[in-house]
Amino acid sequence: MWLKPEEVLLKNALKLWVTQKSSCYFVLQRRRGHGEGGGRLTGRLVGALDAVLDSSARVAPFRILLQVPGSQVYSPIACGATLEEINQHWDWLEQNLLHTLSVFDNKDDIASFVKGKVKALIAEETSSRLAEQEEEPEKFREALVKFEARFNFPEAEKLVTYYSCCCWKGRVPRQGWLYLSINHLCFYSFFLGKELKLVIPWVDILKLERTSNVFLTDTIRITTQNKERDFSMFLNLDEVFKMMEQLADVTLRRLLDNEVFDLDPDLQEPSQITKRDLEARAQNEFFRAFFRLPRKERLHAVVDCSLWTPFSRCHTAGRMFTSDSYICFASREDGCCNVVLPLREVVSIEKMEDTSLLPNPIIVSIRSKMAFQFIELKDRENLVEGLLVRLKQVHANHPVHYDSSPSDNDMTSSVFYSTSMCSDKFGDLEMVSSQNGEEREKEKSPLPHPEPLTVFQQSGGQSPDSRLSREQIKISLWNDHFVEYGRTVCMFRTEKIRKLVAMGIPESLRGRLWLLFSDAVTDLASHPGYYGNLVEQSLGRCCLVTDEIERDLHRSLPEHPAFQNETGIAALRRVLTAYAHRNPKIGYCQSMNILTSVLLLYAKEEEAFWLLVAVCERMLPDYFNHRVIGAQVDQSVFEELIKEHLPELAEHMNDLSALASISLSWFLTLFLSIMPLESAVNVVDCFFYDGIKAIFQLGLAVLEANAEELCSSKDDGQALMILSRFLDHIKNEDSPGPPIGSHHAFFSDDQEPYPVTDIADLIRDSYEKFGNQSVEQIEHLRCKHRIRVLQGHEDTTKQNVLRVVIPEVSILPEDLDELYDLFKRAHMMSCYWEHPRPVPLRHDPSRPYAEQYRIDARQFAHLFQLVSPWTCGVHTEILAERTFRLLDDNMDQLMEFKAFVSCLDIMYNGEMNEKIKLLYRLHIPPALTENDRDSQSPLKNPLLSTSRPLVLGKPNGDTIDYQKQLKQMIKDLAKEKDKTEKELPKMSQREFIQFCKTLYSMFHEDPKENELYQAIATVTTLLLQIGEVGQRSSSSGSCSQECSEELQASAPSPEQDSVFVETGKPPQDPRALPEAGEGDWTVSLEHILASLLTEQSLVNFFEKPLNIKSKLENAKLNQYSLKALEMSHPPQPELKLNNL
């Protein structure tokens, strides 16, 4: 590896380095002690010093120095781990530089020229290009060399970053280096001659957490299936932990949750991921979660600044976030002031004059006659330039037409300005009456019923005056707030608006404010006609999703008048079907119908569609899919919050997963399915303003209100009854409509009155007692618990697969467990380092458990070599190919775990006849093919003369007549043979030769090798003669009397043994090769088995007990090295499997 030249004094290095060769300008040196056979005292001392200090010379013991004549200062320009590697650099210098340097007169010019050339070489190296992206390229390149040398991963295993730390082994810390790569966490320590290597795949990590032990207050604990590892003494533990979280999250979701997970563009190619990319991803995730923006939004800059807040008449300190389509602001004090400015609403971005009172100011003007002043912006010029470019692009992609005609937007209240229409001048906004807007909407809308379904709500019958008066008071408060804080999506969002939301949004403003808080209004304005087109495309289509939708339509708020007729049902059908058509990855999931039906009550059909998009795709990520991973992650987060805020309840409820299962519907339906509707909509108000935080804190408030009863409950069923009764009796005293109970109410006929809880009081308590959770904390908890949830799914998959396999095999369950891990790891390693991965080979969690992990022929060959007892030397790989072809029943070139284990079970635990039958099947089609790379043989004619009798001599002079033994054995086998079993095709001579070759290979290195070879030679001779006898007996239907007499002398009569007579019949299996036709040389499975049974040594070999545990231990140690070896020496094209 080429090194950045740094000056060293040679006289200080002479004791540690030995010169191998030199020229006028370069010196090649070897580290003293390296490569010295017996090792002299000085070499041993230097080696010990390197070992104790973990010197770089242990990894790269060769180097090349640049020496300028007449100078004592030398510069290392290259290093290498082997002599061959360093000689390549030396040869390059001699061929390209050595002759050129003689033209320079000045020694400084020589040094400058060589150093410049070496730096250029460094820039050209692929690994160096990645290193240059790091903060300290030279140190990173040195760490990369050590990482590659110590762990021997393929080149595709990209090192992301590294840290110095301690790994605790019991109470003993081991100082070393922690390497974080795209697929693994690795630790290396070498101290006082003791080497420690740890390699932990990210997909094996069950838990990643910060903890403390007796000696240190802050450590990082890595929990895997079998062990816990503690790492500590980092220079910056916060940075390390965040980096680990990001790598674990990205890798686990990429490999285990690719059902709906889409990587950021910068992370699409794992081999190009850098530390900066992961830090940018973390910032992006926080930015999108905090402002609840679309996943496609990419953050460009985060700048400290201050924003003029007119309601407080001062500048508020905070940070500006700029992305593809938004400018956002968040105050330093949480909840003080947040602003979301879609670039679509922005009219201009201007720089103002810089003054002492207003340093580096810019003005952002929006279409609703508002302007936002930001000051104290660093690098203002570049920031504004980038914003103007993106502003122009946004307006080009989504042009806004300005005219004086009425707005297309429905004005449900006079407090709203139009967000999509204004006059020819940017600043002059037209006020539009709701009547004109409604008329234009009716004219333009292609939908049969675009209006909100609130027209179907019945008017209140109980104390309507008091309820309406409270509604008017709320409207008045909101009007006052709009005047001061703004009334569009660009409004100032403060603690005051949160209090108004907690009181409950007025019915007349609810739908519009949901659109503003979720920013669905921007999607609506940016995609005119999109929903109508989706409806037209999806109508009339029938599939599984539409069937599920139809089944749930009449279960959506059945007690509400709006959904007791076809009008409401049809609107719900269109919205759900259109969304399923838009997002087939999600399609339709239960609970979406309940949420959509409530959205339709307060928003028009198209608005309800975009609200559903906002909820499913950014406010509740990963909730609505096959495995509802997002909801399960939040359930796990909720459990931790219960332990933190309600420790007494958590202590009483030993298993908090019971509470989590009860609360699952709270998160999936936002309390709509388990709380009276007029109360639940207030929860939805808080959700659209505060996101998932509102659901967490309300859930904690519900549990706290019932904590005493829950602690006295005896079982989960009683706890469920307590919570259900409480939620069913939550009322909304301010609702102007009539009470509409939950359609999942458990108690409609209480024996005695149950105390009623007002929803406003419950929400207020939730904010006061549990509202201190920040978005950053929740996202951190989600990241932590996503690992647990995904690994829980992996464990469920494993247990289900093993439950199916265990009854069918004789391998012990604990060994099956390890075999499954090896099988899964083989699949994972191909995902790590083989790119691009074919789609069929990817892990697909939506498939049945047994089909989620499958391996191809190459991966199977590795596993076969590691765990199969039938090792045949160089012949092992060929046998593995044939085994794969045999087990690949559906010819999709993939194998499931069950087939793999069933084959191993026969090899280890099968009876002799089962093992021979498997070997037999491995040497006939489909396992053996015409162009099998080891099946061609020059032997096309009979191997032996048929004139020899079936009598063989023994070394001691005795003779054995095998004819009688064979007859009796074949009769016994014929009796025992299951009549229903399909007869295997007979084996041709070519196939028999391969069969014998495999047997010879299997006996290699066996303790009784010679005895086995002699026995198999005897059996082979017998079988060859049997085949020839069968060939002669079937050569003609009416042979001469002479031929008949010969046959009668050398073979049994039909009455005595039908097997010999039937030898010449064509095989019943159509897969048999044409060579096995009438009159050809053939033997059957019964012939082979009977012949093998005549030799006790062969019987002992196939019936001896085999121990799989030693193989499994060896496989766990060598699986990675075998894969790395294959990656470094890829197979030649002619050796690829083309006929699987």
Side-chain angles (χ1 to χ4, degrees), residues 703-758:
L703 293 180
E704 190 208 32
N706 295 273
E708 188 175 342
E709 289 187 74
L710 289 172
C711 286
S712 61
S713 64
K714 298 179 181 179
D715 52 38
D716 297 342
Q718 189 176 355
L720 173 62
M721 292 171 63
I722 292 169
L723 291 172
S724 300
R725 183 169 56 182
F726 174 82
L727 291 166
D728 193 44
H729 286 82
I730 295 177
K731 304 301 179 186
N732 185 356
E733 300 297 335
D734 295 342
S735 176
I740 301 176
S742 165
H743 62 287
H744 290 284
F746 281 80
F747 300 92
S748 55
D749 53 349
D750 287 301
Q751 297 291 332
E752 57 185 44
Y754 188 84
V756 173
T757 305
D758 186 61

Side-chain angles (χ1 to χ4, degrees), residues 147-167:
F147 173 72
E148 292 173 346
R150 287 167 175 170
F151 297 101
N152 195 31
F153 284 126
E155 290 183 6
E157 185 66 19
K158 167 73 171 63
L159 177 65
V160 176
T161 188
Y162 63 98
Y163 301 97
S164 173
C165 69
C166 280
C167 175

Side-chain angles (χ1 to χ4, degrees), residues 698-860:
L698 188 66
L700 291 171
V702 169
L703 293 180
E704 190 208 32
N706 295 273
E708 188 175 342
E709 289 187 74
L710 289 172
C711 286
S712 61
S713 64
K714 298 179 181 179
D715 52 38
D716 297 342
Q718 189 176 355
L720 173 62
M721 292 171 63
I722 292 169
L723 291 172
S724 300
R725 183 169 56 182
F726 174 82
L727 291 166
D728 193 44
H729 286 82
I730 295 177
K731 304 301 179 186
N732 185 356
E733 300 297 335
D734 295 342
S735 176
I740 301 176
S742 165
H743 62 287
H744 290 284
F746 281 80
F747 300 92
S748 55
D749 53 349
D750 287 301
Q751 297 291 332
E752 57 185 44
Y754 188 84
V756 173
T757 305
D758 186 61
I759 185 63
D761 296 336
L762 188 64
I763 290 176
R764 184 177 62 252
D765 287 348
S766 75
Y767 274 103
E768 290 175 356
K769 296 177 181 179
F770 310 108
N772 58 349
Q773 294 291 331
S774 68
V775 173
E776 189 171 13
Q777 289 171 322
I778 290 175
E779 289 303 306
H780 162 68
L781 288 173
R782 279 178 161 178
C783 190
K784 170 184 174 181
H785 287 277
R786 189 178 292 110
I787 296 174
R788 176 189 167 200
V789 170
L790 288 174
Q791 293 291 15
H793 277 275
E794 290 300 298
D795 188 59
T796 301
T797 299
K798 178 178 180 179
Q799 297 307 321
N800 278 281
V801 172
L802 293 182
R803 187 171 65 247
V804 172
V805 172
I806 285 174
E808 300 186 9
V809 297
S810 302
I811 300 175
L812 295 176
E814 56 267 28
D815 294 334
L816 278 177
D817 191 286
E818 294 191 13
L819 276 172
Y820 182 89
D821 292 339
L822 289 171
F823 187 89
K824 178 180 173 182
R825 192 173 298 126
H827 169 93
M828 286 298 174
M829 286 193 295
S830 65
C831 297
Y832 296 159
W833 303 316
E834 294 177 13
H835 299 288
R837 291 286 297 152
V839 174
L841 300 187
R842 294 180 63 187
H843 169 56
D844 186 356
S846 64
R847 297 179 65 90
Y849 290 119
E851 299 177 12
Q852 290 190 16
Y853 289 109
R854 297 177 293 174
I855 58 175
D856 60 18
R858 185 184 300 176
Q859 297 156 22
F860 175 79

Side-chain angles (χ1 to χ4, degrees), residues 70-230:
S71 174
Q72 290 298 313
V73 178
Y74 291 71
S75 301
I77 59 174
C79 68
T82 63
L83 185 61
E84 292 77 10
E85 181 184 352
I86 203 69
N87 276 332
Q88 289 179 0
H89 290 68
W90 181 267
D91 293 342
W92 189 93
L93 292 171
E94 284 188 332
Q95 295 170 13
N96 296 278
L97 284 188
L98 199 56
H99 303 295
T100 310
L101 298 181
S102 59
V103 302
F104 292 97
D105 297 329
N106 191 327
K107 63 181 180 180
D108 293 334
D109 293 342
I110 294 174
S112 299
F113 176 77
V114 174
K115 290 178 181 179
K117 197 68 177 176
V118 170
K119 289 178 181 178
L121 290 172
I122 291 174
E124 290 178 5
E125 291 182 353
T126 305
S127 59
S128 298
R129 285 205 301 271
L130 295 174
E132 291 300 326
Q133 301 175 25
E134 306 298 330
E135 295 175 359
E136 298 178 288
E138 289 307 314
K139 290 184 178 180
F140 186 85
R141 294 178 71 252
E142 183 179 341
L144 183 61
V145 171
K146 291 183 177 181
F147 173 72
E148 292 173 346
R150 287 167 175 170
F151 297 101
N152 195 31
F153 284 126
E155 290 183 6
E157 185 66 19
K158 167 73 171 63
L159 177 65
V160 176
T161 188
Y162 63 98
Y163 301 97
S164 173
C165 69
C166 280
C167 175
W168 290 79
K169 191 174 182 180
R171 296 185 177 182
V172 180
R174 297 289 298 268
Q175 179 64 37
W177 290 93
L178 182 71
Y179 299 92
L180 305 182
S181 67
I182 54 174
N183 299 303
H184 299 86
L185 178 151
C186 305
F187 178 79
Y188 181 85
S189 172
F190 193 98
F191 186 69
L192 298 178
K194 292 185 177 180
E195 185 178 56
L196 173 66
K197 286 184 183 181
L198 294 178
V199 177
I200 304 175
W202 293 113
V203 292
D204 287 355
I205 292 178
L206 304 179
K207 194 183 295 184
L208 175 63
E209 57 187 344
R210 293 177 66 164
T211 183
S212 58
N213 60 23
V214 180
F215 305 99
L216 291 171
T217 57
D218 211 0
T219 63
I220 297 176
R221 176 166 293 170
I222 307 292
T223 304
T224 58
Q225 187 175 3
N226 302 318
K227 290 185 180 179
E228 290 182 347
R229 298 283 186 182
D230 289 340

Side-chain angles (χ1 to χ4, degrees), residues 510-521 524 607 611:
R510 178 165 278 137
R512 195 62 182 175
L513 282 172
W514 287 356
L515 284 167
L516 295 182
F517 292 155
S518 65
D519 196 36
V521 66
L524 174 65
E607 293 171 344
L611 283 170

Side-chain angles (χ1 to χ4, degrees), residues 130 133 158 160 182 250 254 261-282 284 288 295-300 324:
L130 295 174
Q133 301 175 25
K158 167 73 171 63
V160 176
I182 54 174
V250 167
R254 173 169 55 87
F261 178 58
D262 293 320
L263 280 170
D264 295 339
D266 294 337
L267 305 177
Q268 291 289 352
E269 178 51 54
S271 62
Q272 301 298 318
I273 293 177
T274 65
K275 181 181 175 183
R276 292 180 185 176
D277 293 332
L278 292 170
E279 290 171 344
R281 177 183 184 265
N284 265 304
R288 291 190 290 252
R295 180 164 183 78
K296 64 181 180 181
E297 279 302 305
R298 191 162 56 94
L299 188 63
H300 289 279
D324 295 334

